[in-house]
């Protein structure tokens, strides 16, 4: 139960952060990615600000041997080394990101609006994940 | 951090297709919070949270498929690779972040300045 409540609280905080920083708005994201147009650099500050916090938090946790308050151990990804799937997947994701202005976090947060294009994107994104699940199982 | 998880949104979402109740619960709670957050900002703080879709629905559907498939194949999205991954100094995340920023910027350049004019 405590883990559920913590997850809800962290999700809410993350969603609020995405809203306040306006990363939730595709217009902002596309403006940020548009190098040749009128650049909107605000999201760079959002990312740098977020990294300033997460870098310290992860470093502190490592140095002090702090474990998580809840749950059973940090789940740090085990994979090492850059492989083709990582690069190809990231490249595909980048194209979709540029075509929409949505990456997964803000896309879910934007569902709050109930806007049809956002819902359509959300359904489609889930479909893409399901396709990967079946494709992935077939291709090991 | 508090629950010891890497907050990769695509991973949380992708993992939500599980039948394990224990794994499903916290994911759904997190996703519910993600939608709740902007509502809190809008209604309690009274701030405007604009969302202005930039493309037509068919384009968004295509983009959604690419984002969904790509983040699963690439093991992560902006939050997982660029926030958590870079913070940990992961080489994979640096590679992934560089890749999706390059293709995203190239895509926007093409749609805005080559096709869109």
């Amino acid at each position: 139960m405590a883990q559920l409540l913590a997850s809800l609280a962290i999700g809410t905080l993350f969603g609020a952060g995405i809203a306040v920083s306006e990363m939730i708005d595709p217009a902002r994201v596309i403006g940020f990615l548009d190098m040749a147009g009128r650049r909107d650099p605000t999201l760079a500050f959002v990312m740098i600000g977020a990294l300033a916090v997460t870098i310290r938090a992860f470093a502190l946790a490592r140095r002090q041997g702090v474990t998580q308050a809840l749950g059973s151990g940090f789940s740090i990804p085990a994979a090492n080394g850059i492989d083709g799937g990582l690069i190809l997947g990231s490249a595909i994701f980048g194209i979709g990101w540029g075509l929409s202005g949505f990456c997964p976090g803000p896309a879910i947060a934007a569902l709050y609006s109930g806007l049809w294009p956002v819902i359509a994107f959300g359904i489609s994104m889930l479909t893409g994940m399901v396709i990967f699940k079946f494709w992935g199982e077939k291709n090991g | 951090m508090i629950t010891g998880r890497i907050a990769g949104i695509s991973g949380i979402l992708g993992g939500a297709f599980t039948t394990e109740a224990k794994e499903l619960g916290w994911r759904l709670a997190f996703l519910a919070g993600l939608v709740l957050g902007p509502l809190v900002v809008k209604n309690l703080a009274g701030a405007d949270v604009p969302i202005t879709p930039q493309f037509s629905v068919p384009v968004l559907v295509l983009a959604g498929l690419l984002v969904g498939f790509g983040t699963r194949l690439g093991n992560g999205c902006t939050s997982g690779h660029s926030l958590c991954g870079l913070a940990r100094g992961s080489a994979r995340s640096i590679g992934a972040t560089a890749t999706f920023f390059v293709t995203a910027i190239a895509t926007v350049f093409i749609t805005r300045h080559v096709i869109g004019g």
Side-chain angles (χ1 to χ4, degrees):
Chain A
M1 196 59 203
Q3 198 186 16
L4 280 187
L5 286 177
S7 298
L8 181 67
I10 296 164
T12 306
L13 192 63
F14 203 84
I18 289 171
V20 171
S21 66
E22 294 190 358
M23 229 182 138
I24 197 169
D25 190 353
R28 279 267 186 217
V29 176
I30 296 291
F32 172 62
L33 293 171
D34 189 0
M35 295 288 158
R38 271 183 51 196
R39 282 229 66 201
D40 179 354
T42 38
L43 290 184
F45 293 101
V46 175
M47 289 203 69
I48 291 166
L51 274 173
V53 177
T54 52
I55 287 172
R56 274 179 215 178
F58 277 114
L60 191 71
R62 201 173 321 169
R63 200 165 52 238
Q64 307 219 330
V66 175
T67 49
Q68 71 299 334
L70 303 159
S72 50
F74 275 108
S75 58
I76 300 288
N80 274 313
I82 296 170
D83 52 53
L86 180 86
I87 296 301
L88 181 64
S90 296
I92 292 171
F93 160 49
I95 295 169
W97 191 27
L99 274 181
S100 61
F102 285 123
C103 51
I108 299 294
L111 288 174
Y112 97 91
S113 65
L115 289 172
W116 164 236
V118 181
I119 296 170
F121 180 87
I123 293 171
S124 178
M125 181 169 75
L126 284 176
T127 308
M129 290 182 173
V130 172
I131 291 172
F132 174 77
K133 200 169 153 62
F134 288 114
W135 178 85
E137 274 167 16
K138 212 188 284 176
N139 291 272
Chain B
M1 279 304 274
I2 295 174
T3 54
R5 292 288 182 167
I6 296 291
I9 306 300
S10 55
I12 292 174
L13 202 54
F17 304 111
T18 174
T19 45
E20 255 184 90
K22 207 182 143 209
E23 278 297 296
L24 188 63
W26 73 267
R27 289 172 198 272
L28 291 183
F30 183 90
L31 294 171
L34 209 48
V35 180
L36 203 62
L39 286 172
V40 169
V41 170
K42 189 169 183 159
N43 294 309
L44 295 188
D48 196 23
V49 184
I51 293 172
T52 36
Q54 301 292 294
F55 299 95
S56 64
V57 169
V59 174
L60 287 177
V61 167
L62 171 67
L65 288 173
L66 295 175
V67 169
F69 188 87
T71 51
R72 298 308 293 151
L73 179 60
N75 296 110
C77 60
T78 348
S79 60
H81 277 313
S82 307
L83 293 184
C84 295
L86 292 189
R88 293 187 300 112
S90 155
R92 278 172 61 82
S93 291
I94 295 168
T97 301
T99 306
F100 59 65
F101 264 98
V102 165
T103 56
I105 287 167
T107 304
V108 171
F109 182 80
I110 291 167
T111 54
R112 276 274 165 101
H113 303 287
V114 178
I115 303 170

